[in-house]
């Protein structure tokens, strides 16, 4: 079983639509959680952290359910510029070298059309 | 702030040659640098982690003699793909963290194509 699993999509949605992405992780000891955005042939960029209480940043809302080991991202009022791949990322915590190890999901592709 | 650069951005080489990729932190001291590899439609996979002045720690399944990592200063790490083969063609991305933060800042990536 993959450590971080995501629906690969693609999700094809019209502008203005609301779209939700899901992610599950296998290690209950995971420390913290993030959503990254990756454009084609570019590096991933941090979109937002994910907290159990749920957090919102403009049109984006992230939610974490530790009991179910489930993370979600909701995008409201989709824009053409939201088209990208969204990566679910889990921080496994400090390793012996003192660094945090990140585990990346394979990503969910979103295509927003006019 | 927290800018990481990579060079080259793209490289095409013949099978059997070696390729060096540089990762630099431009405005902070990178105590730890990470090297990832991403094949098409797959997730970023951590290859190795290096602390300045120490030997790199490689993930399981990554050949340390094939992927040589040097982290000689607090602003530069290099990854050398030795005797490259077509199956090494991939997107190689570095990231770095500093003393003040655990956040990983990613470089723009290097696309390697081995013919």
């Amino acid at each position: 079983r993959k450590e971080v699993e995501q629906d690969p999509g693609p999700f094809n949605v019209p502008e203005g639509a609301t779209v939700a992405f899901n992610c599950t992780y296998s290690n209950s000891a995971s420390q913290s959680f993030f959503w990254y955005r990756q454009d084609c042939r570019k590096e991933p960029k941090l979109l937002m952290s994910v907290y159990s209480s749920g957090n919102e940043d403009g049109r984006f809302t992230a939610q974490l359910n530790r009991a179910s080991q489930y993370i979600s991202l909701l995008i409201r009022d989709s824009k053409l510029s939201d088209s990208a791949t969204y990566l679910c990322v889990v921080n496994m915590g400090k390793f012996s070298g003192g660094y945090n190890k990140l585990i990346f999901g394979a990503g969910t592709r979103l295509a927003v059309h006019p | 702030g927290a800018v990481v650069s990579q060079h080259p951005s793209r490289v095409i080489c013949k099978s059997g040659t070696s390729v060096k990729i540089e990762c630099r932190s431009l405005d902070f001291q990178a105590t730890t640098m990470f090297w990832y590899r991403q094949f098409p439609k797959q997730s970023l996979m951590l290859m190795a982690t290096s602390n300045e002045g120490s030997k790199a720690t490689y993930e399981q399944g990554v050949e340390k003699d094939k992927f040589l990592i040097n982290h000689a200063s607090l602003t530069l790490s290099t990854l050398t793909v030795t005797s490259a083969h077509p199956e090494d063609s991939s997107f190689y991305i570095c990231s770095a963290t500093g003393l003040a933060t655990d956040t990983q800042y990613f470089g723009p990536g290097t696309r390697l194509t081995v013919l």
Side-chain angles (χ1 to χ4, degrees):
Chain A
R1 184 186 170 189
K2 291 181 183 176
E3 292 182 272
V4 179
E5 294 212 57
Q6 294 183 249
D7 180 342
F11 284 61
N12 293 300
V13 303
E15 275 187 289
T18 296
V19 61
F21 303 141
N22 303 320
C23 168
T24 57
Y25 61 95
S26 60
N27 192 327
S28 59
S30 301
Q31 304 274 311
S32 52
F33 310 87
F34 310 89
W35 284 102
Y36 277 70
R37 169 193 170 128
Q38 186 174 26
D39 292 288
C40 190
R41 297 176 175 264
K42 301 278 189 178
E43 78 275 24
K45 294 190 175 174
L46 179 64
L47 181 64
M48 59 197 302
S49 301
V50 189
Y51 305 112
S52 298
S53 54
N55 49 301
E56 191 173 303
D57 183 0
R59 298 181 292 108
F60 299 84
T61 301
Q63 194 79 44
L64 165 66
N65 184 322
R66 280 192 182 269
S68 303
Q69 295 179 201
Y70 171 92
I71 304 161
S72 65
L73 176 68
L74 183 77
I75 304 176
R76 291 181 300 278
D77 188 23
S78 300
K79 311 289 184 192
L80 294 175
S81 57
D82 294 333
S83 297
T85 297
Y86 290 82
L87 309 176
C88 177
V89 182
V90 173
N91 178 3
M92 302 300 294
K94 294 282 188 187
F95 275 59
S96 57
Y99 61 89
N100 287 299
K101 183 173 181 178
L102 300 181
I103 305 295
F104 287 78
T108 299
R109 197 152 60 88
L110 172 66
V112 182
H113 57 83
Chain B
V3 178
V4 176
S5 70
Q6 273 185 250
H7 178 80
S9 57
R10 186 168 192 151
V11 58
I12 300 172
C13 69
K14 291 182 180 178
S15 187
T17 59
S18 293
V19 175
K20 181 186 280 190
I21 302 170
E22 292 186 349
C23 177
R24 293 182 186 271
S25 57
L26 299 184
D27 52 2
F28 68 102
Q29 293 186 325
T31 49
T32 306
M33 285 185 164
F34 305 81
W35 286 96
Y36 294 85
R37 181 168 53 180
Q38 186 178 31
F39 292 107
K41 298 190 178 181
Q42 295 188 27
S43 58
L44 272 74
M45 297 298 294
L46 181 64
M47 299 175 67
T49 304
S50 68
N51 290 307
E52 183 264 338
S54 303
K55 286 185 179 179
T57 301
Y58 289 80
E59 294 297 298
Q60 196 171 14
V62 178
E63 299 174 60
K64 63 179 181 179
D65 294 329
K66 179 169 180 63
F67 299 99
L68 302 179
I69 291 171
N70 184 282
H71 190 167
S73 77
L74 284 172
T75 58
L76 173 65
S77 176
T78 60
L79 167 68
T80 301
V81 183
T82 62
S83 187
H85 289 284
E87 57 265 31
D88 297 323
S89 298
S90 188
F91 191 43
Y92 291 85
I93 307 174
C94 73
S95 70
T97 59
L99 285 171
T101 177
D102 285 339
T103 300
Q104 287 188 30
Y105 298 96
F106 286 85
T110 297
R111 192 159 300 278
L112 170 64
T113 302
V114 185
L115 302 176

